[in-house]
Amino acid sequence: MKTVERLGTFLVRGGVIDNSQLADAMQVHQVTGLPLTESLIELGYCKTMDILPKLARQLGIEYIDLADYKVNVNAIAIVPEELARRYSVLPVDFINGKLVILMSSPDNVMAIDDIQMASGYEVTPAVGVFEDIEGGINQYYQMAATITDDLLGGEESEDIEVVSEEAPIIKLVNFIISQGVEDRASDIHIEPQEKNLRVRYRIDGVLQEVMTSPKKVQAAILSRLKIMAGMDIAETRKPQDGRAAMSIRGRGVDFRVSTLPTVYGERVVLRVLEKESILLTLDDLGFLPDSLARFQSSFTKPYGAILVTGPTGSGKSTTLYATLNVLNTEARNIITTEDPVEYRLPGINQIQINPRAGLTFARGLRAILRATPDVVMVGEIRDHETAQIAIEAALTGHLVLSTLHTNDAAGAISRLTEMGVAPFLTSSAIDCVQAQRLARRLCSECKEPFEPDAKMLEKMGFEPNEKITLYRPKGCDRCNNTGYKGRVGVYEVMLMSEKIQQLTVERASSEQIKEVAIAEGMQTLKEDGMEKMRQGLTSYEEVLRVIV
């Protein structure tokens, strides 16, 4: 009772309420048992946003706006859902070894005592909006209830298995993974540091730190992840690769899991492979009409080689899968050789490369050609032998799709020559080279228009006096205040004309080939990006980041 009276006195001194309103609220509190703050709001004497920040200042505690706060899922994992719902509180973080609990009524001493007993941590209360707390409880606790694992085999060390199978660790790992999927992460990075374990999500191509865990749970978390991926949990000195599968909110999600030993322990990366991604069509990828028409004209031919180039993470595999979806009919025999096979495509024969067993790209490609394929996809051309076989296959009546790591389309020609492929073979076999990047897409809900000044126009390649409206990121709840949501492809499509074939045979530089391709109608990556800026799909900063 003394705590309630002291709280009321603070509110009167702060000018939030007067003495008569306090007396009414105290009466409601005594009759109903409602906390004083909720009694005041129930009586209509103040609004939530009027009372809470002032209350926090008066009590010397923190006010937390949950919309702008990254909840530490470690805190969620150690407080039972039943307690959180009973007292309408949300555990949000650890600060200086204390558990931070978000409450709309920090005068609820019984809630603090019960949570301290259940968690074993000293509790530090923080003030938050009641509706936000209820929403957070639903979001974080219900997420755990909707997750089911499909563990994929693996030998398990008995001692570590016991640690990693403890319910809090399972719950914590499930939270990390499911939250990454909910946030549209393409990769989840679990990274041991000197004093803690860092978790980062790659969202729309950019890494974001989302939480840290105590060092003492590192071994259990890593062991749990390795068990899920069917890895050898006793092996910590060598890199390993595995796969895992989960059902999250009714969506089947596969993960490609890889470990890498570092000085502070094994680093784990989970590549998120949502099965819906393979259903994308070329129209979904962001091609401009002219570039799409040029690309479609190449893969509708019965033979020839089509190369998709770009750095790691630029969406090359997605483009090839979308192309295979178009080509996949009962009349065609389509075989792929990949490392790894990221998505299972119905009706297509996919081969997983296994260098340890002697199954390389080159050997797999030779075997494929004996199976009379119509369409062949080679995951990546990495060496002379693979390049030579792929080029010869394109010359002997097969449609060959593959990827190559080059900065632009014209650079692919020089790259094949460097690999030892005769230029006259390249000029005859290659039909199309496409370079691509992925830029973050501006959030359609909050992007804001602006008119760039002459200096910016000149830097971007526009006319200095051109009147143009561009868009920039702002940030809202829909995009987690980043200003971006999703990604859009940026492309350049180079078709092999007679002039480019001649330059290839003459071993011309990639700059010379690019000049001719532009003269023949190729839109460069920069030009494609600028057009998408005009359309409000992406921003100037994104085009600079991924292209210029």
Side-chain angles (χ1 to χ4, degrees), residues 62-118:
E62 186 179 4
Y63 169 74
I64 292 177
D65 183 352
L66 201 55
D68 299 326
Y69 198 87
K70 290 190 180 299
V71 174
N72 187 336
V73 294
N74 288 285
I76 296 286
I78 68 166
V79 176
E81 180 180 356
E82 185 271 331
L83 270 184
R85 291 193 179 279
R86 183 196 306 170
Y87 294 117
S88 294
V89 299
L90 183 69
V92 293
D93 213 345
F94 295 98
I95 296 179
N96 298 325
K98 297 180 180 180
L99 176 64
V100 180
I101 297 292
L102 192 59
M103 316 173 70
S104 62
S105 301
D107 55 319
N108 193 336
V109 179
M110 185 179 295
I112 294 173
D113 289 344
D114 283 357
I115 290 171
Q116 284 185 158
M117 290 183 63

Side-chain angles (χ1 to χ4, degrees), residues 204-267:
D204 295 333
V206 178
L207 279 171
Q208 302 175 16
E209 182 174 329
V210 293
M211 60 169 282
T212 58
S213 292
K215 191 74 173 176
K216 63 183 179 181
V217 302
Q218 175 177 310
I221 290 175
L222 297 182
S223 296
R224 171 67 178 170
L225 289 166
K226 290 169 76 174
I227 289 170
M228 291 175 65
M231 297 179 181
D232 181 358
I233 60 176
E235 178 57 74
T236 60
R237 297 168 298 174
K238 298 178 182 178
Q240 295 188 67
D241 292 296
R243 293 184 72 93
M246 297 179 74
S247 175
I248 299 176
R249 295 190 184 274
R251 299 200 327 255
V253 184
D254 289 338
F255 301 90
R256 193 178 81 212
V257 186
S258 60
T259 67
L260 184 67
T262 72
V263 292
Y264 297 124
E266 289 181 285
R267 183 180 189 272

Side-chain angles (χ1 to χ4, degrees), residues 155-226:
E155 294 296 324
E156 300 154 3
S157 169
E158 189 171 312
D159 291 339
I160 300 180
E161 179 189 354
V162 171
V163 174
S164 63
E165 289 294 335
E166 290 178 356
I169 293 299
I170 295 175
K171 193 173 182 180
L172 177 56
V173 170
N174 284 347
F175 264 123
I176 292 170
I177 295 174
S178 59
Q179 189 63 51
V181 173
E182 290 292 315
D183 289 348
R184 301 176 296 103
S186 59
D187 306 284
I188 300 172
H189 296 251
I190 316 293
E191 303 169 322
Q193 305 294 299
E194 183 179 4
K195 297 180 179 179
N196 55 38
L197 185 71
R198 179 171 68 172
V199 179
R200 294 193 290 173
Y201 297 156
R202 186 180 296 279
I203 301 173
D204 295 333
V206 178
L207 279 171
Q208 302 175 16
E209 182 174 329
V210 293
M211 60 169 282
T212 58
S213 292
K215 191 74 173 176
K216 63 183 179 181
V217 302
Q218 175 177 310
I221 290 175
L222 297 182
S223 296
R224 171 67 178 170
L225 289 166
K226 290 169 76 174

Side-chain angles (χ1 to χ4, degrees), residues 299-301 326-334 347 374-375 399:
F299 67 74
T300 52
K301 296 178 181 178
V326 177
L327 296 171
N328 188 11
T329 65
E330 291 184 2
R332 288 193 178 96
N333 179 18
I334 303 177
D374 299 299
V375 180
L399 181 62

Side-chain angles (χ1 to χ4, degrees), residues 273-312:
L273 308 172
E274 289 205 63
K275 295 174 182 177
E276 287 81 358
S277 299
I278 64 172
L279 303 177
L280 289 174
T281 66
L282 290 170
D283 293 327
D284 298 325
L285 301 182
F287 279 95
L288 295 176
D290 183 61
S291 296
L292 180 58
R294 289 167 68 88
F295 185 56
Q296 287 175 327
S297 70
S298 62
F299 67 74
T300 52
K301 296 178 181 178
Y303 57 86
I306 300 171
L307 300 179
V308 179
T309 75
T312 301

Side-chain angles (χ1 to χ4, degrees), residues 239-406:
Q240 295 188 67
D241 292 296
R243 293 184 72 93
M246 297 179 74
S247 175
I248 299 176
R249 295 190 184 274
R251 299 200 327 255
V253 184
D254 289 338
F255 301 90
R256 193 178 81 212
V257 186
S258 60
T259 67
L260 184 67
T262 72
V263 292
Y264 297 124
E266 289 181 285
R267 183 180 189 272
V268 181
V269 178
L270 293 87
R271 180 77 181 273
V272 182
L273 308 172
E274 289 205 63
K275 295 174 182 177
E276 287 81 358
S277 299
I278 64 172
L279 303 177
L280 289 174
T281 66
L282 290 170
D283 293 327
D284 298 325
L285 301 182
F287 279 95
L288 295 176
D290 183 61
S291 296
L292 180 58
R294 289 167 68 88
F295 185 56
Q296 287 175 327
S297 70
S298 62
F299 67 74
T300 52
K301 296 178 181 178
Y303 57 86
I306 300 171
L307 300 179
V308 179
T309 75
T312 301
S314 59
K316 300 186 296 296
S317 296
T318 301
T319 299
L320 289 182
Y321 282 133
T323 306
L324 289 179
N325 283 334
V326 177
L327 296 171
N328 188 11
T329 65
E330 291 184 2
R332 288 193 178 96
N333 179 18
I334 303 177
I335 307 179
T336 74
T337 174
E338 307 170 56
D339 183 23
V341 175
E342 293 188 345
Y343 298 99
R344 270 68 167 182
L345 300 172
I348 293 177
N349 305 285
Q350 296 173 270
I351 299 173
Q352 169 70 57
I353 291 305
N354 188 353
R356 292 181 180 178
L359 182 56
T360 61
F361 274 119
R363 183 168 291 183
L365 189 50
R366 283 199 187 94
I368 287 173
L369 295 177
R370 292 194 289 270
T372 64
D374 299 299
V375 180
V376 176
M377 189 186 91
V378 183
E380 182 183 346
I381 293 178
R382 298 176 179 174
D383 51 46
H384 164 73
E385 189 176 11
T386 305
Q388 187 73 28
I389 300 169
I391 292 297
E392 291 174 357
L395 290 171
T396 55
H398 304 89
L399 181 62
V400 179
L401 311 177
S402 190
T403 68
L404 200 62
H405 285 275
T406 61

